[in-house]
Amino acid sequence: MLPEWVPDGVDITTPNAARVYDYALGGFHNFEVDRRFAEDAERAWPGVIQLAHDNRAFLGRAVRWLAGNGIRQFLDIGSGIPTLGNVHEVAQYAAADARIVYVDIDPVAVAHSQRILAGNRHATAVQGDVRRPQDILGHPTVTDLLDFSRPIGVLMVAVLHFIGGPDDPARILREFADATVAGSYVAVSHSVPAEDAAGQENVRRLYQRTPTSLHVRTPAEVVGLLAGWQVLDPGLVPISDWHPDPEDADDPAQRSAFGGVARKLS
Ligand code: SAM
C-alpha cells in the first residue's frame, strides 16, 4: 500500500527528479526506484549527492541575500519537495511578512508543500510547468498572494537544466522579466560541464530514463539565457563561490553547477 502522502496517479515505477533530489538531501518523500537512481548516479559520478547539498545551500544564501536586499515576495519555480532549508523558512526568518509561492510540476512536491504550509497565510504551493510562464503568472493563487506591481524574487534553482529541446529557457526567463517590475531579481543555478566529463555524461544518460532529461550548458550559455536581466556581482560562478558563508570556506569547491543572481533591467 502506498503511503498517505502519495497523490493519486503518481508513477512510482519511474525515477523522478524531485524525489531523487529529496533522497539526496536526506528526505523521506521518495521510493525505491528514486533511491536506486541516486545511488547509481553517485556510483557513476561520485560527488553528485554532495552537489545536491551544495545547490540547496546556494538556494538558502540567495534567498537570504534577496531578503537582505528588500525582497518580500518570492516565486520559487521548480521548488522541489520541502526538506532542508525551505525558502519560506529562510525568507520568513529574515522578514516575517515575506510571501512565497512554490511552483513545481511534480504532484508529490506540490502536495507535501501544501501540507506543511497549511495555516501559513503568507506561503502556498501550486502545480505548474516552468515551460508555461503565462499559466504560472496568471494562476489565481499566484496573483492573490503576490503583488506584481512590486518587486519579486523569482527563483529558478536547479530547474532550467531540465529544460531543452523544443523548449527555450531564454524565452522563459524573458517572459518572467516582462512580467515583473524593475527592482525584481531572478536567482538561477544550472549544471555546467564538469571536470569528470565521463561521470557527468553517465548521469545525463541516467536522467534520460526520467520524465526530465538533463541539459548541461556552459556558463557562457547560461549567461546568454538571461537577456532582460543583469547578472550581479560576483557574476555567474560555481555555486559554492557565490557569497559563501565563512563556515563553508573549507568545503571543496563545487564547479559542476554555476549560479548567480540577476536584476531585472529597467
Ligand atoms: N529548486 C529546488 C532546489 O534547488 O533546492 C529543487 C530543485 S530539484 C533538483 C528540481 C525540481 O524541478 C524538481 O522538483 C522537479 O520536479 C522540478 N521541475 C522539473 N521540470 C519542471 C518543469 N518543467 N516545471 C516546473 N518544475 C519542474
Coordinates of all heavy atoms in Angstrom, one line a residue, residues 44-80:
A44 N 28.2 6.4 -10.6 CA 28.6 6.8 -11.9 C 29.4 8.1 -11.9 O 30.3 8.4 -12.7 CB 27.4 7.0 -12.8
W45 N 29.1 9.0 -10.9 CA 29.7 10.3 -10.9 C 29.8 10.7 -9.4 O 29.0 11.4 -8.8 CB 28.9 11.3 -11.6 CG 29.5 12.7 -11.7 CD1 30.8 13.0 -11.7 CD2 28.8 13.9 -12.0 NE1 31.0 14.3 -11.8 CE2 29.8 14.9 -12.0 CE3 27.5 14.2 -12.2 CZ2 29.4 16.3 -12.3 CZ3 27.1 15.6 -12.4 CH2 28.1 16.6 -12.4
P46 N 30.9 10.2 -8.7 CA 31.0 10.4 -7.3 C 31.0 11.9 -7.0 O 31.6 12.7 -7.6 CB 32.3 9.8 -6.9 CG 32.6 8.8 -8.0 CD 32.0 9.3 -9.2
G47 N 30.1 12.3 -6.0 CA 30.0 13.7 -5.6 C 28.7 14.3 -6.0 O 28.4 15.4 -5.6
V48 N 27.9 13.5 -6.7 CA 26.6 14.1 -7.2 C 25.7 14.4 -6.1 O 24.9 15.3 -6.1 CB 26.1 13.3 -8.4 CG1 25.5 12.0 -8.0 CG2 25.0 14.1 -9.2
I49 N 25.8 13.5 -5.0 CA 24.9 13.8 -3.8 C 25.3 15.0 -3.1 O 24.5 15.8 -2.7 CB 24.8 12.5 -2.9 CG1 24.0 11.4 -3.7 CG2 24.2 12.8 -1.6 CD1 23.7 10.1 -2.9
Q50 N 26.6 15.2 -3.0 CA 27.1 16.4 -2.3 C 26.7 17.7 -3.2 O 26.4 18.7 -2.6 CB 28.7 16.4 -2.2 CG 29.3 17.6 -1.6 CD 28.8 17.8 -0.1 OE1 28.6 16.9 0.6 NE2 28.5 19.1 0.2
L51 N 26.7 17.5 -4.5 CA 26.2 18.6 -5.4 C 24.8 19.1 -5.0 O 24.5 20.3 -5.0 CB 26.3 18.1 -6.8 CG 25.8 19.1 -7.9 CD1 26.6 20.3 -7.9 CD2 26.0 18.4 -9.3
A52 N 23.9 18.1 -4.7 CA 22.6 18.5 -4.2 C 22.6 19.3 -3.0 O 21.9 20.3 -2.9 CB 21.7 17.2 -4.0
H53 N 23.4 18.9 -2.0 CA 23.5 19.7 -0.8 C 24.1 21.1 -1.0 O 23.6 22.1 -0.5 CB 24.4 19.0 0.2 CG 23.8 17.8 0.8 ND1 23.1 17.8 2.0 CD2 23.6 16.5 0.4 CE1 22.6 16.6 2.3 NE2 22.9 15.8 1.3
D54 N 25.1 21.2 -1.9 CA 25.7 22.5 -2.2 C 24.7 23.4 -3.0 O 24.7 24.6 -2.7 CB 27.0 22.3 -3.1 CG 28.1 21.6 -2.3 OD1 28.0 21.6 -1.0 OD2 29.0 21.1 -2.9
N55 N 23.9 22.7 -3.8 CA 22.9 23.5 -4.5 C 21.9 24.1 -3.5 O 21.4 25.2 -3.6 CB 22.2 22.7 -5.6 CG 21.1 23.5 -6.3 OD1 21.5 24.4 -7.1 ND2 19.9 23.2 -6.0
R56 N 21.4 23.2 -2.6 CA 20.5 23.7 -1.6 C 21.0 24.8 -0.7 O 20.3 25.8 -0.4 CB 20.1 22.5 -0.7 CG 18.9 22.7 0.1 CD 17.6 22.7 -0.7 NE 16.4 22.8 0.1 CZ 15.2 23.0 -0.4 NH1 15.0 23.0 -1.7 NH2 14.2 23.1 0.4
A57 N 22.3 24.7 -0.4 CA 23.0 25.8 0.4 C 23.0 27.1 -0.5 O 22.8 28.2 0.1 CB 24.4 25.4 0.8
F58 N 23.3 27.0 -1.8 CA 23.3 28.2 -2.6 C 21.9 28.8 -2.6 O 21.7 30.0 -2.5 CB 23.6 27.8 -4.1 CG 23.3 28.8 -5.1 CD1 24.1 30.0 -5.2 CD2 22.1 28.7 -5.8 CE1 23.7 31.0 -6.1 CE2 21.7 29.7 -6.7 CZ 22.5 30.8 -6.9
L59 N 20.8 28.0 -2.7 CA 19.5 28.5 -2.7 C 19.2 29.3 -1.4 O 18.7 30.4 -1.4 CB 18.5 27.3 -2.8 CG 17.0 27.6 -2.5 CD1 16.4 28.5 -3.6 CD2 16.2 26.4 -2.5
G60 N 19.6 28.7 -0.3 CA 19.4 29.4 1.0 C 20.2 30.8 1.1 O 19.6 31.8 1.5
R61 N 21.4 30.8 0.6 CA 22.2 32.0 0.6 C 21.5 33.1 -0.4 O 21.5 34.3 -0.1 CB 23.6 31.8 0.2 CG 24.4 30.9 1.2 CD 25.9 31.0 1.0 NE 26.4 30.8 -0.3 CZ 26.6 29.6 -0.9 NH1 26.3 28.5 -0.2 NH2 27.0 29.4 -2.1
A62 N 21.1 32.6 -1.5 CA 20.4 33.5 -2.5 C 19.2 34.1 -1.9 O 18.9 35.3 -2.0 CB 20.1 32.8 -3.8
V63 N 18.4 33.3 -1.2 CA 17.1 33.8 -0.6 C 17.5 34.8 0.5 O 16.9 35.9 0.6 CB 16.2 32.7 0.0 CG1 15.1 33.2 0.8 CG2 15.7 31.8 -1.2
R64 N 18.5 34.5 1.4 CA 18.9 35.5 2.4 C 19.4 36.8 1.8 O 19.0 37.9 2.3 CB 20.0 34.8 3.3 CG 19.4 34.2 4.5 CD 20.5 33.9 5.5 NE 21.2 32.7 5.1 CZ 22.6 32.6 5.0 NH1 23.4 33.6 5.2 NH2 23.1 31.4 4.7
W65 N 20.1 36.6 0.7 CA 20.7 37.8 0.0 C 19.5 38.7 -0.5 O 19.5 39.9 -0.3 CB 21.6 37.4 -1.1 CG 22.3 38.6 -1.7 CD1 23.6 39.1 -1.4 CD2 21.8 39.4 -2.8 NE1 23.9 40.1 -2.2 CE2 22.8 40.4 -3.1 CE3 20.6 39.5 -3.5 CZ2 22.7 41.4 -4.0 CZ3 20.5 40.4 -4.5 CH2 21.5 41.4 -4.8
L66 N 18.5 38.0 -1.1 CA 17.4 38.8 -1.7 C 16.6 39.4 -0.6 O 16.2 40.6 -0.7 CB 16.5 37.8 -2.5 CG 17.1 37.3 -3.8 CD1 16.3 36.1 -4.4 CD2 17.2 38.4 -4.8
A67 N 16.3 38.7 0.5 CA 15.6 39.3 1.6 C 16.4 40.5 2.2 O 15.8 41.5 2.5 CB 15.3 38.3 2.7
G68 N 17.7 40.3 2.3 CA 18.6 41.4 2.8 C 18.5 42.6 1.8 O 18.9 43.7 2.2
N69 N 18.2 42.4 0.6 CA 18.1 43.5 -0.4 C 16.7 43.9 -0.6 O 16.3 44.5 -1.7 CB 18.8 43.1 -1.7 CG 20.3 43.2 -1.5 OD1 20.9 44.3 -1.7 ND2 20.9 42.1 -1.1
G70 N 15.8 43.6 0.3 CA 14.5 44.2 0.3 C 13.4 43.4 -0.3 O 12.2 43.8 -0.3
I71 N 13.7 42.2 -0.8 CA 12.7 41.4 -1.5 C 11.8 40.7 -0.4 O 12.2 40.1 0.5 CB 13.3 40.3 -2.4 CG1 14.0 41.0 -3.6 CG2 12.3 39.3 -2.9 CD1 13.0 41.8 -4.5
R72 N 10.5 40.9 -0.6 CA 9.5 40.4 0.3 C 8.5 39.4 -0.3 O 7.6 38.9 0.3 CB 8.7 41.5 1.0 CG 9.6 42.4 1.9 CD 10.0 41.7 3.1 NE 10.9 42.5 4.0 CZ 12.3 42.5 3.8 NH1 12.9 41.7 2.9 NH2 13.0 43.2 4.6
Q73 N 8.7 39.2 -1.7 CA 7.9 38.3 -2.4 C 8.7 37.3 -3.2 O 9.6 37.8 -3.9 CB 7.0 39.0 -3.4 CG 6.3 40.2 -2.8 CD 5.2 40.8 -3.8 OE1 4.1 40.3 -3.8 NE2 5.6 41.7 -4.6
F74 N 8.4 36.0 -3.1 CA 9.3 35.0 -3.8 C 8.4 34.1 -4.6 O 7.3 33.7 -4.1 CB 10.0 34.2 -2.8 CG 11.1 35.0 -2.0 CD1 10.7 35.7 -0.9 CD2 12.4 35.0 -2.5 CE1 11.6 36.4 -0.2 CE2 13.3 35.8 -1.8 CZ 13.0 36.4 -0.6
L75 N 8.8 33.9 -5.9 CA 8.1 32.9 -6.7 C 9.1 31.9 -7.0 O 10.1 32.1 -7.8 CB 7.6 33.7 -8.0 CG 6.8 32.8 -9.0 CD1 5.6 32.2 -8.4 CD2 6.4 33.7 -10.2
D76 N 9.0 30.7 -6.4 CA 10.0 29.7 -6.4 C 9.6 28.6 -7.4 O 8.7 27.8 -7.1 CB 10.2 29.1 -5.0 CG 11.3 28.1 -4.9 OD1 12.0 27.8 -6.0 OD2 11.5 27.5 -3.8
I77 N 10.2 28.5 -8.6 CA 9.7 27.6 -9.6 C 10.6 26.5 -9.8 O 11.8 26.6 -9.9 CB 9.5 28.4 -10.9 CG1 8.7 29.6 -10.7 CG2 8.9 27.5 -12.0 CD1 8.6 30.6 -11.9
G78 N 10.1 25.3 -9.7 CA 10.9 24.0 -9.7 C 11.4 23.9 -8.2 O 12.5 23.7 -8.0
S79 N 10.4 24.1 -7.3 CA 10.8 24.3 -5.9 C 11.2 23.0 -5.2 O 11.8 23.1 -4.2 CB 9.6 25.0 -5.2 OG 8.4 24.3 -5.5
G80 N 10.7 21.9 -5.7 CA 11.1 20.6 -5.1 C 10.2 20.2 -3.9 O 9.3 20.9 -3.6

